[in-house]
Amino acid sequence: DAKTTQPTSMDCAEGRAANLPCNHSTISGNEYVYWYRQIHSQGPQYIIHGLKNNETNEMASLIITEDRKSSTLILPHATLRDTAVYYCIVRDLNAGNNRKLIWGLGTSLAVNP
Amino acid sequence: GAVVSQHPSWVICKSGTSVKIECRSLDFQATTMFWYRQFPKQSLMLMATSNEGSKATYEQGVEKDKFLINHASLTLSTLTVTSAHPEDSSFYICSATLGLAGANQETQYFGPGTRLLVL
């Protein structure tokens, strides 16, 4: 699976949009981009995933560049409860039984009042 | 939907004893479950992948005789830490997927984690 690069930490004001970037310049055509987050002392939570097109759900929006080498997770109106570590992961769904996710260190997002 | 529970949420045990952690998918059938370990300020490290009715696949460096995994049904997997030592103290997290083809079915849903402290 392709490696991803994320900033170590970011800050965001409560109520503003939080834009979390992820670089995956070696992504292949079969690899999806997944985003998870982990609030302190809890298990990770699935947020969203995409392949080529931009995606939106009740939690966030995922913007993938046309060349697919980078993406941005957008939390439109960040709240204090969005303070967490956000992980960007790419993986190939055609990798047979190899369903494991490779976790980096993610971006530690602090939402400030 | 897609809720995964873990029990217990935390456990303290004496060195040399065994501890069993349960992972349950509450509203879906999970053909594949994963067990992770996370040390403070570090990322998740996959320990093993288990498929219902078959033996678990362990990651390199994880002792299968020390970390026993049983996935006897489509809604339950257990991790038993045998002869626990203080260095086994960690945050253990399980996840589950439907295990079918396709991006949605491959999404992993995580339990809340179990914090183990071995004295």
Side-chain angles (χ1 to χ4, degrees):
Chain A
D1 290 339
K3 291 184 178 179
T4 62
T5 304
Q6 298 178 253
T8 303
S9 63
M10 293 183 64
D11 285 279
C12 176
E14 187 179 18
R16 304 297 293 269
N19 298 294
L20 294 96
C22 179
N23 183 289
H24 32 79
S25 59
T26 60
I27 194 171
S28 69
N30 297 324
E31 290 182 312
Y32 282 72
V33 180
Y34 284 79
W35 283 84
Y36 289 81
R37 72 179 182 184
Q38 186 176 25
I39 296 171
H40 183 62
S41 294
Q42 297 183 22
Q45 177 187 23
Y46 164 77
I47 301 174
I48 200 167
H49 71 272
L51 180 63
K52 297 180 181 178
N53 301 320
N54 298 336
E55 303 287 345
T56 296
N57 63 19
E58 65 278 6
M59 291 185 67
S61 294
L62 174 60
I63 308 298
I64 302 174
T65 58
E66 192 169 345
D67 63 7
R68 303 212 319 124
K69 293 185 176 182
S70 66
S71 61
T72 301
L73 180 74
I74 301 173
L75 308 179
H77 306 286
T79 70
L80 299 179
R81 287 178 292 182
D82 291 323
T83 293
V85 178
Y86 287 76
Y87 296 95
C88 168
I89 301 168
V90 297
R91 67 177 301 273
D92 185 352
L93 298 187
N94 293 324
N97 291 323
N98 183 12
R99 295 190 166 92
K100 60 183 179 181
L101 301 176
I102 307 300
W103 297 78
L105 292 176
T107 296
S108 179
L109 174 68
V111 180
N112 305 308
Chain B
V3 179
V4 177
S5 70
Q6 276 184 247
H7 178 81
S9 56
W10 59 270
V11 57
I12 302 173
C13 70
K14 292 182 179 180
S15 185
T17 61
S18 294
V19 175
K20 180 185 284 189
I21 303 170
E22 292 186 349
C23 176
R24 294 182 184 272
S25 56
L26 299 184
D27 53 1
F28 67 102
Q29 293 185 326
T31 56
T32 305
M33 286 185 169
F34 302 83
W35 286 96
Y36 294 85
R37 182 168 51 181
Q38 186 176 34
F39 293 105
K41 298 190 183 301
Q42 295 187 21
S43 191
L44 280 76
M45 293 194 63
L46 180 66
M47 299 175 68
T49 302
S50 75
N51 292 295
E52 184 265 337
S54 62
K55 291 183 178 180
T57 301
Y58 290 80
E59 294 299 300
Q60 192 172 8
V62 178
E63 300 176 55
K64 63 180 181 180
D65 294 330
K66 180 171 180 61
F67 299 99
L68 302 179
I69 292 172
N70 184 285
H71 191 165
S73 77
L74 287 172
T75 59
L76 173 65
S77 176
T78 60
L79 168 68
T80 301
V81 182
T82 62
S83 187
H85 288 280
E87 55 265 32
D88 297 325
S89 299
S90 188
F91 190 47
Y92 291 85
I93 312 168
C94 72
S95 71
T97 70
L98 293 176
L100 302 175
N104 292 326
Q105 288 80 356
E106 291 290 338
T107 301
Q108 290 189 26
Y109 299 96
F110 287 82
T114 297
R115 196 161 298 280
L116 170 64
L117 177 61
V118 184
L119 302 177

